[in-house]
PDB file of all heavy atoms in Angstrom:
ATOM      1  N   LEU A   1       0.822  -1.200   0.078  1.00 98.00           N
ATOM      2  CA  LEU A   1      -0.041   0.022   0.014  1.00 98.00           C
ATOM      3  C   LEU A   1       0.921   1.214  -0.001  1.00 98.00           C
ATOM      4  O   LEU A   1       1.946   1.271   0.559  1.00 98.00           O
ATOM      5  CB  LEU A   1      -0.915  -0.029   1.263  1.00 98.00           C
ATOM      6  CG  LEU A   1      -1.753  -1.260   1.547  1.00 98.00           C
ATOM      7  CD1 LEU A   1      -2.666  -1.009   2.695  1.00 98.00           C
ATOM      8  CD2 LEU A   1      -2.602  -1.648   0.226  1.00 98.00           C
ATOM      9  N   SER A   2       0.377   2.323  -0.580  1.00 98.00           N
ATOM     10  CA  SER A   2       1.074   3.667  -0.594  1.00 98.00           C
ATOM     11  C   SER A   2       0.152   4.735  -0.040  1.00 98.00           C
ATOM     12  O   SER A   2      -1.068   4.679  -0.147  1.00 98.00           O
ATOM     13  CB  SER A   2       1.421   3.959  -2.044  1.00 98.00           C
ATOM     14  OG  SER A   2       2.272   3.023  -2.567  1.00 98.00           O
ATOM     15  N   CYS A   3       0.852   5.612   0.564  1.00 97.00           N
ATOM     16  CA  CYS A   3       0.125   6.894   1.147  1.00 97.00           C
ATOM     17  C   CYS A   3       0.930   8.042   0.759  1.00 97.00           C
ATOM     18  O   CYS A   3       1.997   8.284   1.158  1.00 97.00           O
ATOM     19  CB  CYS A   3      -0.104   6.841   2.587  1.00 97.00           C
ATOM     20  SG  CYS A   3      -0.729   8.320   3.326  1.00 97.00           S
ATOM     21  N   ALA A   4       0.369   8.824  -0.307  1.00 95.00           N
ATOM     22  CA  ALA A   4       0.984  10.122  -0.688  1.00 95.00           C
ATOM     23  C   ALA A   4       0.539  11.239   0.141  1.00 95.00           C
ATOM     24  O   ALA A   4      -0.641  11.484   0.267  1.00 95.00           O
ATOM     25  CB  ALA A   4       0.795  10.287  -2.179  1.00 95.00           C
ATOM     26  N   ALA A   5       1.442  12.072   0.761  1.00 93.00           N
ATOM     27  CA  ALA A   5       1.077  13.179   1.562  1.00 93.00           C
ATOM     28  C   ALA A   5       1.482  14.478   0.813  1.00 93.00           C
ATOM     29  O   ALA A   5       2.500  14.562   0.155  1.00 93.00           O
ATOM     30  CB  ALA A   5       1.847  13.085   2.878  1.00 93.00           C
ATOM     31  N   SER A   6       0.659  15.452   1.022  1.00 93.00           N
ATOM     32  CA  SER A   6       0.938  16.762   0.541  1.00 93.00           C
ATOM     33  C   SER A   6       0.478  17.933   1.511  1.00 93.00           C
ATOM     34  O   SER A   6      -0.372  17.631   2.382  1.00 93.00           O
ATOM     35  CB  SER A   6       0.244  16.996  -0.879  1.00 93.00           C
ATOM     36  OG  SER A   6      -1.125  16.891  -0.760  1.00 93.00           O
ATOM     37  N   GLY A   7       1.064  19.070   1.480  1.00 90.00           N
ATOM     38  CA  GLY A   7       0.658  20.084   2.280  1.00 90.00           C
ATOM     39  C   GLY A   7       1.661  20.296   3.466  1.00 90.00           C
ATOM     40  O   GLY A   7       2.665  19.588   3.614  1.00 90.00           O
ATOM     41  N   SER A   8       1.308  21.281   4.388  1.00 84.00           N
ATOM     42  CA  SER A   8       2.215  21.577   5.449  1.00 84.00           C
ATOM     43  C   SER A   8       1.804  20.725   6.670  1.00 84.00           C
ATOM     44  O   SER A   8       0.665  20.777   7.175  1.00 84.00           O
ATOM     45  CB  SER A   8       2.032  23.077   5.825  1.00 84.00           C
ATOM     46  OG  SER A   8       2.877  23.366   6.929  1.00 84.00           O
ATOM     47  N   VAL A   9       2.796  19.959   7.183  1.00 82.00           N
ATOM     48  CA  VAL A   9       2.551  19.017   8.281  1.00 82.00           C
ATOM     49  C   VAL A   9       2.794  19.667   9.642  1.00 82.00           C
ATOM     50  O   VAL A   9       2.332  19.095  10.692  1.00 82.00           O
ATOM     51  CB  VAL A   9       3.540  17.773   8.201  1.00 82.00           C
ATOM     52  CG1 VAL A   9       3.187  16.988   6.873  1.00 82.00           C
ATOM     53  CG2 VAL A   9       4.977  18.209   8.308  1.00 82.00           C
ATOM     54  N   GLY A  10       3.349  20.846   9.605  1.00 81.00           N
ATOM     55  CA  GLY A  10       3.540  21.602  10.956  1.00 81.00           C
ATOM     56  C   GLY A  10       4.447  20.765  11.994  1.00 81.00           C
ATOM     57  O   GLY A  10       5.418  20.287  11.537  1.00 81.00           O
ATOM     58  N   SER A  11       3.894  20.666  13.121  1.00 85.00           N
ATOM     59  CA  SER A  11       4.547  19.877  14.145  1.00 85.00           C
ATOM     60  C   SER A  11       4.374  18.351  14.172  1.00 85.00           C
ATOM     61  O   SER A  11       4.977  17.621  15.044  1.00 85.00           O
ATOM     62  CB  SER A  11       4.297  20.412  15.518  1.00 85.00           C
ATOM     63  OG  SER A  11       2.921  20.267  15.730  1.00 85.00           O
ATOM     64  N   LEU A  12       3.561  17.840  13.251  1.00 86.00           N
ATOM     65  CA  LEU A  12       3.297  16.446  13.076  1.00 86.00           C
ATOM     66  C   LEU A  12       4.581  15.695  12.714  1.00 86.00           C
ATOM     67  O   LEU A  12       5.207  16.076  11.797  1.00 86.00           O
ATOM     68  CB  LEU A  12       2.153  16.187  12.251  1.00 86.00           C
ATOM     69  CG  LEU A  12       0.879  16.995  12.509  1.00 86.00           C
ATOM     70  CD1 LEU A  12      -0.120  16.734  11.368  1.00 86.00           C
ATOM     71  CD2 LEU A  12       0.250  16.603  13.796  1.00 86.00           C
ATOM     72  N   ASN A  13       4.883  14.733  13.570  1.00 87.00           N
ATOM     73  CA  ASN A  13       6.193  14.018  13.326  1.00 87.00           C
ATOM     74  C   ASN A  13       6.143  12.545  12.993  1.00 87.00           C
ATOM     75  O   ASN A  13       7.168  11.861  13.057  1.00 87.00           O
ATOM     76  CB  ASN A  13       7.071  14.252  14.677  1.00 87.00           C
ATOM     77  CG  ASN A  13       6.513  13.319  15.796  1.00 87.00           C
ATOM     78  OD1 ASN A  13       5.293  12.971  15.761  1.00 87.00           O
ATOM     79  ND2 ASN A  13       7.318  13.142  16.756  1.00 87.00           N
ATOM     80  N   ALA A  14       4.991  12.047  12.723  1.00 93.00           N
ATOM     81  CA  ALA A  14       4.841  10.661  12.413  1.00 93.00           C
ATOM     82  C   ALA A  14       3.689  10.390  11.434  1.00 93.00           C
ATOM     83  O   ALA A  14       2.742  11.214  11.357  1.00 93.00           O
ATOM     84  CB  ALA A  14       4.640   9.895  13.655  1.00 93.00           C
ATOM     85  N   MET A  15       3.681   9.242  10.815  1.00 94.00           N
ATOM     86  CA  MET A  15       2.628   8.820   9.994  1.00 94.00           C
ATOM     87  C   MET A  15       2.288   7.413  10.386  1.00 94.00           C
ATOM     88  O   MET A  15       3.091   6.685  10.936  1.00 94.00           O
ATOM     89  CB  MET A  15       3.032   8.847   8.415  1.00 94.00           C
ATOM     90  CG  MET A  15       3.368  10.245   7.927  1.00 94.00           C
ATOM     91  SD  MET A  15       3.856  10.230   6.110  1.00 94.00           S
ATOM     92  CE  MET A  15       2.196   9.943   5.389  1.00 94.00           C
ATOM     93  N   ALA A  16       0.918   7.066  10.200  1.00 96.00           N
ATOM     94  CA  ALA A  16       0.528   5.783  10.682  1.00 96.00           C
ATOM     95  C   ALA A  16      -0.448   5.060   9.699  1.00 96.00           C
ATOM     96  O   ALA A  16      -1.150   5.764   8.914  1.00 96.00           O
ATOM     97  CB  ALA A  16      -0.181   5.913  11.995  1.00 96.00           C
ATOM     98  N   TRP A  17      -0.452   3.800   9.815  1.00 98.00           N
ATOM     99  CA  TRP A  17      -1.461   2.988   9.048  1.00 98.00           C
ATOM    100  C   TRP A  17      -2.593   2.455  10.074  1.00 98.00           C
ATOM    101  O   TRP A  17      -2.216   1.889  11.054  1.00 98.00           O
ATOM    102  CB  TRP A  17      -0.931   1.832   8.257  1.00 98.00           C
ATOM    103  CG  TRP A  17      -0.140   2.127   7.104  1.00 98.00           C
ATOM    104  CD1 TRP A  17       1.242   2.318   6.935  1.00 98.00           C
ATOM    105  CD2 TRP A  17      -0.709   2.457   5.806  1.00 98.00           C
ATOM    106  NE1 TRP A  17       1.541   2.671   5.649  1.00 98.00           N
ATOM    107  CE2 TRP A  17       0.357   2.880   4.905  1.00 98.00           C
ATOM    108  CE3 TRP A  17      -2.034   2.636   5.288  1.00 98.00           C
ATOM    109  CZ2 TRP A  17       0.209   3.147   3.579  1.00 98.00           C
ATOM    110  CZ3 TRP A  17      -2.245   2.947   3.976  1.00 98.00           C
ATOM    111  CH2 TRP A  17      -1.179   3.219   3.158  1.00 98.00           C
ATOM    112  N   TYR A  18      -3.827   2.660   9.761  1.00 98.00           N
ATOM    113  CA  TYR A  18      -4.798   2.037  10.480  1.00 98.00           C
ATOM    114  C   TYR A  18      -5.727   1.189   9.516  1.00 98.00           C
ATOM    115  O   TYR A  18      -5.585   1.205   8.370  1.00 98.00           O
ATOM    116  CB  TYR A  18      -5.837   3.067  11.007  1.00 98.00           C
ATOM    117  CG  TYR A  18      -5.360   3.941  12.212  1.00 98.00           C
ATOM    118  CD1 TYR A  18      -4.401   4.904  12.128  1.00 98.00           C
ATOM    119  CD2 TYR A  18      -6.017   3.719  13.514  1.00 98.00           C
ATOM    120  CE1 TYR A  18      -4.052   5.611  13.312  1.00 98.00           C
ATOM    121  CE2 TYR A  18      -5.529   4.522  14.587  1.00 98.00           C
ATOM    122  CZ  TYR A  18      -4.606   5.478  14.455  1.00 98.00           C
ATOM    123  OH  TYR A  18      -4.144   6.119  15.521  1.00 98.00           O
ATOM    124  N   ARG A  19      -6.463   0.310  10.207  1.00 98.00           N
ATOM    125  CA  ARG A  19      -7.498  -0.529   9.367  1.00 98.00           C
ATOM    126  C   ARG A  19      -8.745  -0.662  10.201  1.00 98.00           C
ATOM    127  O   ARG A  19      -8.840  -0.616  11.313  1.00 98.00           O
ATOM    128  CB  ARG A  19      -6.885  -1.844   9.062  1.00 98.00           C
ATOM    129  CG  ARG A  19      -6.582  -2.837  10.286  1.00 98.00           C
ATOM    130  CD  ARG A  19      -5.865  -4.169   9.818  1.00 98.00           C
ATOM    131  NE  ARG A  19      -5.569  -4.941  10.920  1.00 98.00           N
ATOM    132  CZ  ARG A  19      -4.920  -6.007  10.864  1.00 98.00           C
ATOM    133  NH1 ARG A  19      -4.311  -6.390   9.578  1.00 98.00           N
ATOM    134  NH2 ARG A  19      -4.662  -6.878  11.793  1.00 98.00           N
ATOM    135  N   GLN A  20      -9.684  -0.930   9.392  1.00 98.00           N
ATOM    136  CA  GLN A  20     -11.174  -1.149   9.939  1.00 98.00           C
ATOM    137  C   GLN A  20     -11.824  -2.251   9.179  1.00 98.00           C
ATOM    138  O   GLN A  20     -12.082  -2.074   8.023  1.00 98.00           O
ATOM    139  CB  GLN A  20     -11.877   0.197   9.951  1.00 98.00           C
ATOM    140  CG  GLN A  20     -13.284   0.044  10.702  1.00 98.00           C
ATOM    141  CD  GLN A  20     -13.910   1.357  10.871  1.00 98.00           C
ATOM    142  OE1 GLN A  20     -13.614   2.328  10.146  1.00 98.00           O
ATOM    143  NE2 GLN A  20     -14.629   1.486  11.989  1.00 98.00           N
ATOM    144  N   ALA A  21     -12.117  -3.350   9.981  1.00 97.00           N
ATOM    145  CA  ALA A  21     -12.764  -4.411   9.356  1.00 97.00           C
ATOM    146  C   ALA A  21     -14.297  -4.197   9.615  1.00 97.00           C
ATOM    147  O   ALA A  21     -14.818  -3.472  10.441  1.00 97.00           O
ATOM    148  CB  ALA A  21     -12.390  -5.737  10.016  1.00 97.00           C
ATOM    149  N   PRO A  22     -15.180  -4.940   8.806  1.00 92.00           N
ATOM    150  CA  PRO A  22     -16.592  -4.712   8.870  1.00 92.00           C
ATOM    151  C   PRO A  22     -17.037  -5.069  10.283  1.00 92.00           C
ATOM    152  O   PRO A  22     -16.679  -6.132  10.943  1.00 92.00           O
ATOM    153  CB  PRO A  22     -17.248  -5.671   8.016  1.00 92.00           C
ATOM    154  CG  PRO A  22     -16.191  -5.830   6.875  1.00 92.00           C
ATOM    155  CD  PRO A  22     -14.774  -5.860   7.603  1.00 92.00           C
ATOM    156  N   GLY A  23     -17.804  -4.128  11.005  1.00 94.00           N
ATOM    157  CA  GLY A  23     -18.309  -4.294  12.267  1.00 94.00           C
ATOM    158  C   GLY A  23     -17.353  -4.255  13.341  1.00 94.00           C
ATOM    159  O   GLY A  23     -17.675  -4.465  14.536  1.00 94.00           O
ATOM    160  N   LYS A  24     -16.091  -3.761  13.060  1.00 96.00           N
ATOM    161  CA  LYS A  24     -15.008  -3.613  14.099  1.00 96.00           C
ATOM    162  C   LYS A  24     -14.589  -2.157  14.303  1.00 96.00           C
ATOM    163  O   LYS A  24     -14.894  -1.424  13.352  1.00 96.00           O
ATOM    164  CB  LYS A  24     -13.830  -4.448  13.668  1.00 96.00           C
ATOM    165  CG  LYS A  24     -14.118  -5.923  13.591  1.00 96.00           C
ATOM    166  CD  LYS A  24     -14.357  -6.562  14.957  1.00 96.00           C
ATOM    167  CE  LYS A  24     -14.562  -8.077  14.991  1.00 96.00           C
ATOM    168  NZ  LYS A  24     -13.262  -8.760  14.489  1.00 96.00           N
ATOM    169  N   GLN A  25     -14.018  -1.862  15.360  1.00 96.00           N
ATOM    170  CA  GLN A  25     -13.407  -0.505  15.633  1.00 96.00           C
ATOM    171  C   GLN A  25     -12.103  -0.346  14.769  1.00 96.00           C
ATOM    172  O   GLN A  25     -11.471  -1.398  14.324  1.00 96.00           O
ATOM    173  CB  GLN A  25     -13.053  -0.401  17.122  1.00 96.00           C
ATOM    174  CG  GLN A  25     -14.252  -0.298  17.939  1.00 96.00           C
ATOM    175  CD  GLN A  25     -14.693   1.008  18.184  1.00 96.00           C
ATOM    176  OE1 GLN A  25     -15.351   1.725  17.359  1.00 96.00           O
ATOM    177  NE2 GLN A  25     -14.546   1.539  19.489  1.00 96.00           N
ATOM    178  N   ARG A  26     -11.881   0.873  14.353  1.00 96.00           N
ATOM    179  CA  ARG A  26     -10.636   1.131  13.621  1.00 96.00           C
ATOM    180  C   ARG A  26      -9.434   0.919  14.641  1.00 96.00           C
ATOM    181  O   ARG A  26      -9.325   1.423  15.688  1.00 96.00           O
ATOM    182  CB  ARG A  26     -10.637   2.487  13.125  1.00 96.00           C
ATOM    183  CG  ARG A  26      -9.518   2.829  12.177  1.00 96.00           C
ATOM    184  CD  ARG A  26      -9.581   4.270  11.610  1.00 96.00           C
ATOM    185  NE  ARG A  26     -10.873   4.350  10.741  1.00 96.00           N
ATOM    186  CZ  ARG A  26     -11.139   5.362   9.914  1.00 96.00           C
ATOM    187  NH1 ARG A  26     -10.357   6.436   9.937  1.00 96.00           N
ATOM    188  NH2 ARG A  26     -12.262   5.340   9.300  1.00 96.00           N
ATOM    189  N   GLU A  27      -8.420   0.261  14.054  1.00 96.00           N
ATOM    190  CA  GLU A  27      -7.269  -0.129  14.952  1.00 96.00           C
ATOM    191  C   GLU A  27      -5.999   0.412  14.378  1.00 96.00           C
ATOM    192  O   GLU A  27      -5.843   0.402  13.009  1.00 96.00           O
ATOM    193  CB  GLU A  27      -7.138  -1.609  15.252  1.00 96.00           C
ATOM    194  CG  GLU A  27      -6.902  -2.446  13.953  1.00 96.00           C
ATOM    195  CD  GLU A  27      -6.445  -3.898  14.360  1.00 96.00           C
ATOM    196  OE1 GLU A  27      -6.228  -4.150  15.502  1.00 96.00           O
ATOM    197  OE2 GLU A  27      -6.606  -4.721  13.410  1.00 96.00           O
ATOM    198  N   LEU A  28      -5.092   0.741  15.105  1.00 97.00           N
ATOM    199  CA  LEU A  28      -3.784   1.144  14.608  1.00 97.00           C
ATOM    200  C   LEU A  28      -2.923  -0.057  14.295  1.00 97.00           C
ATOM    201  O   LEU A  28      -2.753  -0.976  14.982  1.00 97.00           O
ATOM    202  CB  LEU A  28      -2.987   1.877  15.825  1.00 97.00           C
ATOM    203  CG  LEU A  28      -1.549   2.310  15.502  1.00 97.00           C
ATOM    204  CD1 LEU A  28      -1.475   3.341  14.277  1.00 97.00           C
ATOM    205  CD2 LEU A  28      -0.972   2.921  16.747  1.00 97.00           C
ATOM    206  N   VAL A  29      -2.358  -0.060  13.033  1.00 97.00           N
ATOM    207  CA  VAL A  29      -1.554  -1.213  12.489  1.00 97.00           C
ATOM    208  C   VAL A  29      -0.187  -0.896  12.840  1.00 97.00           C
ATOM    209  O   VAL A  29       0.647  -1.877  13.295  1.00 97.00           O
ATOM    210  CB  VAL A  29      -1.906  -1.399  11.022  1.00 97.00           C
ATOM    211  CG1 VAL A  29      -0.855  -2.504  10.494  1.00 97.00           C
ATOM    212  CG2 VAL A  29      -3.243  -1.702  10.674  1.00 97.00           C
ATOM    213  N   GLY A  30       0.329   0.211  12.529  1.00 97.00           N
ATOM    214  CA  GLY A  30       1.751   0.501  12.736  1.00 97.00           C
ATOM    215  C   GLY A  30       1.967   2.076  12.402  1.00 97.00           C
ATOM    216  O   GLY A  30       1.056   2.678  11.853  1.00 97.00           O
ATOM    217  N   LEU A  31       3.146   2.541  12.685  1.00 96.00           N
ATOM    218  CA  LEU A  31       3.469   3.804  12.509  1.00 96.00           C
ATOM    219  C   LEU A  31       4.984   3.980  12.224  1.00 96.00           C
ATOM    220  O   LEU A  31       5.727   3.083  12.440  1.00 96.00           O
ATOM    221  CB  LEU A  31       3.129   4.683  13.707  1.00 96.00           C
ATOM    222  CG  LEU A  31       3.869   4.463  14.970  1.00 96.00           C
ATOM    223  CD1 LEU A  31       5.058   5.338  15.233  1.00 96.00           C
ATOM    224  CD2 LEU A  31       2.848   4.631  16.165  1.00 96.00           C
ATOM    225  N   ILE A  32       5.368   5.095  11.654  1.00 94.00           N
ATOM    226  CA  ILE A  32       6.786   5.422  11.409  1.00 94.00           C
ATOM    227  C   ILE A  32       7.020   6.815  11.830  1.00 94.00           C
ATOM    228  O   ILE A  32       6.209   7.764  11.449  1.00 94.00           O
ATOM    229  CB  ILE A  32       7.170   5.115   9.921  1.00 94.00           C
ATOM    230  CG1 ILE A  32       8.674   5.361   9.822  1.00 94.00           C
ATOM    231  CG2 ILE A  32       6.349   6.094   8.944  1.00 94.00           C
ATOM    232  CD1 ILE A  32       9.192   4.678   8.502  1.00 94.00           C
ATOM    233  N   ILE A  33       8.077   7.072  12.610  1.00 90.00           N
ATOM    234  CA  ILE A  33       8.426   8.317  13.078  1.00 90.00           C
ATOM    235  C   ILE A  33       9.364   9.159  12.179  1.00 90.00           C
ATOM    236  O   ILE A  33      10.271   8.358  11.528  1.00 90.00           O
ATOM    237  CB  ILE A  33       9.059   8.247  14.478  1.00 90.00           C
ATOM    238  CG1 ILE A  33       8.176   7.464  15.438  1.00 90.00           C
ATOM    239  CG2 ILE A  33       9.428   9.712  15.060  1.00 90.00           C
ATOM    240  CD1 ILE A  33       8.917   7.156  16.785  1.00 90.00           C
ATOM    241  N   SER A  34       9.230  10.413  11.963  1.00 82.00           N
ATOM    242  CA  SER A  34      10.136  11.131  11.067  1.00 82.00           C
ATOM    243  C   SER A  34      11.556  10.940  11.512  1.00 82.00           C
ATOM    244  O   SER A  34      11.776  11.169  12.803  1.00 82.00           O
ATOM    245  CB  SER A  34       9.774  12.586  11.170  1.00 82.00           C
ATOM    246  OG  SER A  34       8.391  12.772  10.545  1.00 82.00           O
ATOM    247  N   GLY A  35      12.429  10.443  10.730  1.00 74.00           N
ATOM    248  CA  GLY A  35      13.817  10.203  11.115  1.00 74.00           C
ATOM    249  C   GLY A  35      14.042   8.939  11.900  1.00 74.00           C
ATOM    250  O   GLY A  35      15.139   8.802  12.501  1.00 74.00           O
ATOM    251  N   GLY A  36      12.902   8.154  12.157  1.00 77.00           N
ATOM    252  CA  GLY A  36      13.094   7.000  12.980  1.00 77.00           C
ATOM    253  C   GLY A  36      12.608   5.722  12.243  1.00 77.00           C
ATOM    254  O   GLY A  36      12.522   5.736  10.986  1.00 77.00           O
ATOM    255  N   SER A  37      12.264   4.683  13.049  1.00 85.00           N
ATOM    256  CA  SER A  37      11.935   3.344  12.493  1.00 85.00           C
ATOM    257  C   SER A  37      10.396   3.044  12.751  1.00 85.00           C
ATOM    258  O   SER A  37       9.774   3.851  13.384  1.00 85.00           O
ATOM    259  CB  SER A  37      12.760   2.280  13.183  1.00 85.00           C
ATOM    260  OG  SER A  37      12.630   2.376  14.575  1.00 85.00           O
TER     261      SER A  37
END
């Protein structure tokens, strides 16, 4: 999967993937920190 970002991110320092299955709550799958792992 790809996520293309545009615009000014300001102080936001990370990006994340979430997923939501039918009838379920949205859950955090993973994240990546700017300059990190």
Side-chain angles (χ1 to χ4, degrees):
L1 308 184
S2 299
C3 173
S6 62
S8 179
V9 300
S11 62
L12 305 176
N13 70 341
M15 298 179 71
W17 287 101
Y18 283 75
R19 66 186 181 186
Q20 187 166 25
K24 299 291 186 68
Q25 294 270 67
R26 188 172 299 186
E27 67 169 342
L28 177 64
V29 175
L31 63 97
I32 188 163
I33 303 171
S34 297
S37 59

